[in-house]
Amino acid sequence: MTSGPSVRRAAAARRSSLADVAALAGVSKGTVSHVLNHPERVAEATRQRVESAIAELSFVPHGTARSLAVGTMPAVGLVLSDVANSLFVEMLRGVERIVEERNGYVLIANSYTDLDRERRYLGMFEAVHTLGALVSINNAAHYESLAANHRGERPLVFLDYRNLDDRYCSVHADNRAGGAIAARHLVGLGRRRLAVVSPPHELQPVAERLAGFEEVVDASDASIVARVSVENVHRADGWRVGRELLPRIEAGDIDGIFAVADLAAAGLLQAVSASGTVDVPGDVAIVGYDDNQEAWDSPIPLTTVRQPGEDMGARGAELLFEEINDPSHEHRVVGLAPSLIVRQSTVGTA
C-alpha cells in the first residue's frame, strides 16, 4: 500500500480522499470508514493512526465536503410508512440516535404506504440538499419505482425491506424466521388447528412471515384449517375477522390463530374475548406480530413476535453515513433477528 511523502504530494494537488487517508495510515478504506462511523469498533492504536492521517491531509468526509460546497443541510430525510404504528416510532428513535451522534438532525415524513407520497418526499429531501434519506417500504413495486426515480445524487437506504439486488443498502427484520417463531410457539403449546389472518401476499413482510409459519406447520402434526385475508391490518379489520371465526372457535375447529400484524391481532382478540363464550387462551391461543403498543396495552396482553425497530433504524442510519463518507462503499442487505414475546393471549396468567 502506497504511503508517506508520495501520498502527501498527491493529496496536496487535489482535495484529499478517503483512499489517501487509508494509504497514509497503512490501512484499508473500510478501516477508515469504521473510524469515521464506528470508532468503537477500531483498535485504539489504529484509530489514532487514522485520525493522525485525517488531520495531516486535512481530509473532509465526502458528505461534509458536499455540505460546505453546495449548502447541503446537515440533515437526513426519513420517510416512514405510518407514524401511528409504534414500530415506526422505534425506527425513528434508532435513526435519530445515530444522526445526533454525528451532530445532524432528522426530517420526518409520513407516507401512509402511498407510493406517490414516498416519491414526493424523497424528491423534497433531494431539493433541500439533505445528506441522504431512508425510507420504509413493504413491496417490490415501491422499491422498483423509487429506485427508477432516484437520481443517485445522495445516498438512499431502505428500511423494513429486503431488496434482492445490490443497488441500495437495506435493513430488515427476518420475517421468515419470525413466522417460524410464531408457529413453533403455537405448535409447542399443543395447538393443532390453526388459522392465519393476513393482508394481501404481495407485501413482502407478509409473504415471508406466512412462508416461515407454513414451513414449521407443514413439518408438524398441526395444520392450517382457515386462512382469512383482510384488506388492511387495523383493529377494526381484526374485530371483523374475530366475529367471523367465532363460530368455528366455539365449535373447537380452531384452537390457535396467527395474525401477521398486532393491530389486527388486537382487534381479533377483543372480538373473541368479548363474546363471553370463548376463553383466551384456554379455547384459542392468539399470536400477533410487531410488538407495538397494541400488543402490550390490551386487557389481555398479546403474545407477539417482536421486530427490532430501533436497531433497524440505527443500522440503516449507520449504512447511510458509511455511503455519505465513502460513495464507493459496498451496498449491503442486513437482516436482524426477531424474538418471541410471550404474554397472556397464549399462556394465560401465572
Side-chain angles (χ1 to χ4, degrees), residues 61-297:
H62 182 81
T64 306
R66 182 168 57 205
S67 175
L68 294 172
V70 300
T72 301
M73 298 177 69
V76 165
L78 174 62
V79 183
L80 295 171
S81 299
D82 184 1
V83 294
N85 187 324
S86 62
L87 169 66
F88 297 105
V89 176
E90 289 185 8
M91 285 186 197
L92 170 60
R93 290 195 191 102
V95 172
E96 282 184 322
R97 173 162 54 83
I98 299 304
V99 173
E100 288 173 358
E101 287 174 2
R102 289 156 177 76
N103 299 313
Y105 52 94
V106 182
L107 302 180
I108 308 163
N110 189 19
S111 74
Y112 300 101
T113 66
D114 179 83
L115 176 57
D116 288 337
R117 291 175 69 93
E118 290 164 358
R119 286 200 199 102
R120 290 199 303 271
Y121 282 129
L122 290 177
M124 181 269 289
F125 292 148
E126 288 274 344
V128 300
H129 303 297
T130 57
L131 297 173
L134 304 100
V135 57
S136 66
I137 61 171
N138 59 21
N139 66 78
H142 283 215
Y143 175 76
E144 291 299 335
S145 179
L146 295 177
N149 283 276
H150 183 239
R151 298 194 298 273
E153 296 178 5
R154 291 173 178 80
L156 175 63
V157 173
F158 290 88
L159 299 177
D160 201 26
Y161 183 77
R162 181 178 61 86
N163 55 300
L164 303 177
D165 56 46
D166 61 358
R167 286 179 288 174
Y168 298 94
C169 287
S170 68
V171 186
H172 66 101
D174 189 337
N175 285 288
R176 193 181 188 100
I181 287 171
R184 280 194 292 270
H185 180 60
L186 288 171
V187 172
L189 292 172
R191 309 297 169 146
R192 295 296 179 266
R193 300 173 299 281
L194 308 176
V196 294
V197 179
S198 70
H201 293 193
E202 63 264 19
L203 304 180
Q204 185 193 76
V206 170
E208 295 189 346
R209 289 170 197 177
L210 291 177
F213 188 85
E214 292 165 357
E215 184 176 7
V216 171
V217 173
D218 289 345
S220 73
D221 60 351
S223 60
I224 298 173
V225 299
R227 298 174 183 270
V228 183
S229 179
V230 292
E231 184 175 352
N232 297 299
V233 287
H234 301 144
R235 183 183 282 269
D237 300 290
W239 173 273
R240 287 192 293 272
V241 170
R243 301 303 297 178
E244 177 183 338
L245 294 179
L246 185 59
R248 296 189 63 181
I249 298 170
E250 292 171 332
D253 294 339
I254 295 171
D255 63 4
I257 301 175
F258 173 49
V260 300
D262 283 340
L263 285 167
L268 191 156
L269 174 58
Q270 184 179 7
V272 171
S273 59
S275 69
T277 60
V278 169
D279 177 66
V280 179
D283 298 317
V284 63
I286 300 173
V287 178
Y289 204 107
D290 287 333
D291 194 32
N292 65 30
Q293 183 175 347
E294 300 296 328
W296 49 262
D297 187 17

Side-chain angles (χ1 to χ4, degrees), residues 33-34 36-41 76 94-95 97-99 101-102 134 157 159 169 171 310-325 329 332 334 336:
S33 181
H34 275 313
L36 293 168
N37 296 291
H38 316 290
E40 72 282 358
R41 300 181 186 177
V76 165
V95 172
R97 173 162 54 83
I98 299 304
V99 173
E101 287 174 2
R102 289 156 177 76
L134 304 100
V157 173
L159 299 177
C169 287
V171 186
E310 186 167 342
D311 290 344
M312 202 184 307
R315 191 71 186 95
E318 289 173 346
L319 290 171
L320 186 73
F321 277 103
E322 286 182 18
E323 187 169 356
I324 289 169
N325 289 317
H329 95 130
R332 298 192 296 284
V334 177
L336 304 178

